[in-house]
Amino acid sequence: MLNPVFPALSPQITYADRILLTGSCFTEHIHDRLAQHKFSVLGNPHGILFNPLSVASGLDSYIAGKQYTENDLFYLNELWNSWDHHTRFSHPDKQQALTLINSAQQAAANFIQQAGFVIITLGSAFQYYLKENNRPVANNHRGPAQWFEKRLLETTYITDTLSHTLENLIHHNPGVQVLFTISPVRHIRDGVVDNNRSKARLLESVHTLCARYMQAHYFPAYELVIDVLRDYRFYDIDMVHPNYAATSFVWEQFADLCLTQETRVVMKEVLDITTARNHRPRFPATEAHRKFKADYTARIQSLISRYPFLNLQEELNYFREL
């Protein structure tokens, strides 16, 4: 296994930072790990997005405080859908779909104003367009194939689109840091050659942006899986998605490169607390279990006194119960 030296992120992430994550399914892995360790995170307010145009459009909509209307939805397969959103926002009832979308929009609009970091994971440079009006779509929602045209975006177009969004974001939140990653998930349905062409365009665009903006950075998730692990043992049964061992390895590298040393120490304490919270005692009425809960109550109170921005109220309430 290769052991390259990757540069550490500067500035690094702390528990005081609010972190918005958006992009491909690999974003979900990083979000879930951060949430497990009780960071202040908001993940994929549009749902999973693979291409840079959809990611940029989503971020622009949060910055602008956009709210969707009935005219933004369409009916297909007995569901109301949005061309901008993942199917997790689709619903048989039009108003319910709008409520889901606009609640997420409002939460993201509020969150991004004070976000310390925005983490963007790009998955593919292929973009689908509706043939009838040349509209780019984030999700096909299982529409008929003849409705769409698939295009491989030019590198300069990706760069210019994301650059415009970064300008908006930095103007809206001058203190924000942006961390780009490229998903190591192979889009095999595009073909091996076209998948590599797609990833290459994303990589070139992202590195151009990182050279252009002091607040833009790169985390090598793609290289860690493809070039460091570089073994199909680290892929799921579909040979496309990284498996648990691979995502755990990437998470460990993320923690080492992107989080401060103090933060990593606190993470161990937090993980111990959340693990204890999920423990199911065989004999909850015993004196030993009461002492166990009292001990963790004291540990949480001590941690909160040192780091008041930590959200451990649920765990504190649990251990306080007799």
Side-chain angles (χ1 to χ4, degrees):
M1 184 186 295
L2 293 172
N3 187 26
V5 177
F6 294 110
L9 179 65
S10 179
Q12 292 181 308
I13 297 169
T14 74
Y15 267 107
D17 292 308
R18 293 158 62 91
I19 308 165
L20 188 145
L21 302 95
T22 182
S24 78
C25 53
F26 195 75
T27 297
E28 309 269 298
H29 292 294
I30 300 299
H31 168 270
D32 291 348
R33 296 278 187 162
L34 289 167
Q36 179 186 17
H37 289 86
K38 294 294 181 175
F39 283 85
S40 177
V41 291
L42 181 64
N44 274 342
H46 265 64
I48 294 171
L49 302 173
F50 293 105
N51 70 80
L53 299 194
S54 296
V55 168
S57 176
L59 289 170
D60 288 338
S61 75
Y62 312 147
I63 294 165
K66 178 177 178 177
Q67 289 284 285
Y68 283 74
T69 69
E70 293 185 3
N71 293 332
D72 296 309
L73 303 184
F74 66 96
Y75 193 70
L76 179 67
N77 298 325
E78 302 183 81
L79 297 173
W80 288 97
N81 312 276
S82 161
W83 289 124
D84 293 339
H85 291 78
H86 187 263
T87 52
R88 83 179 198 205
F89 291 95
S90 300
H91 200 278
D93 181 83
K94 183 190 290 186
Q95 290 304 316
Q96 284 294 322
L98 269 181
T99 297
L100 289 171
I101 289 170
N102 285 328
S103 294
Q105 286 290 125
Q106 188 60 57
N110 294 337
F111 196 95
I112 204 168
Q113 293 182 41
Q114 299 177 346
F117 282 84
V118 173
I119 299 178
I120 299 171
T121 303
L122 302 176
S124 174
F126 280 99
Q127 174 70 58
Y128 284 86
Y129 291 83
L130 284 172
K131 289 181 179 179
E132 67 174 4
N133 58 10
N134 203 38
R135 187 198 195 285
V137 301
N139 194 295
N140 291 359
H141 297 288
R142 298 183 180 180
Q146 61 268 26
W147 285 8
F148 307 99
E149 179 185 352
K150 179 182 177 183
R151 304 176 198 166
L152 181 59
L153 299 173
E154 295 292 338
T155 306
T156 52
Y157 185 48
I158 296 170
T159 306
D160 290 346
T161 300
L162 289 171
S163 180
H164 179 266
T165 296
L166 287 185
E167 295 280 356
N168 285 342
L169 178 59
I170 293 169
H171 178 76
H172 187 68
N173 179 354
V176 72
Q177 301 291 323
V178 179
L179 181 59
F180 285 101
T181 70
I182 304 298
S183 170
V185 176
R186 291 181 171 97
H187 289 244
I188 295 299
R189 282 184 291 183
D190 296 329
V192 175
V193 172
D194 278 346
N195 172 70
N196 286 338
R197 293 180 67 201
S198 167
K199 298 292 188 183
R201 295 188 184 195
L202 296 177
L203 285 162
E204 184 61 27
S205 294
V206 164
H207 284 290
T208 298
L209 292 167
C210 290
R212 184 178 298 172
Y213 297 95
M214 291 182 61
Q215 288 162 266
H217 315 275
Y218 180 71
F219 172 71
Y222 180 80
E223 291 81 359
L224 285 167
V225 175
I226 301 298
D227 294 318
V228 178
L229 295 181
R230 58 172 184 173
D231 192 312
Y232 276 104
R233 290 177 300 167
F234 294 101
Y235 277 82
D236 213 335
I237 193 169
D238 61 4
M239 297 300 176
V240 171
H241 292 83
N243 62 18
Y244 180 80
T247 56
S248 294
F249 174 74
V250 173
W251 165 251
E252 291 167 5
Q253 301 302 309
F254 179 87
D256 287 344
L257 294 173
C258 299
L259 309 180
T260 67
Q261 183 177 0
E262 181 182 14
T263 299
R264 296 196 299 272
V265 171
V266 176
M267 282 169 57
K268 293 179 180 178
E269 294 185 65
V270 170
L271 186 59
D272 179 66
I273 289 168
T274 56
T275 301
R277 162 66 178 84
N278 293 324
H279 174 69
R280 291 293 177 263
R282 290 185 63 194
F283 305 107
T286 62
E287 182 62 25
H289 185 64
R290 283 193 288 270
K291 288 181 179 179
F292 169 81
K293 295 183 74 172
D295 174 62
Y296 272 95
T297 296
R299 291 172 65 175
I300 294 171
Q301 290 172 330
S302 173
L303 197 57
I304 291 175
S305 69
R306 286 178 285 145
Y307 304 99
F309 38 77
L310 276 177
N311 183 9
L312 292 169
Q313 193 60 48
E314 178 187 337
E315 287 74 17
L316 184 59
N317 292 341
Y318 171 79
F319 286 114
R320 275 176 168 169
E321 291 178 358
L322 298 178

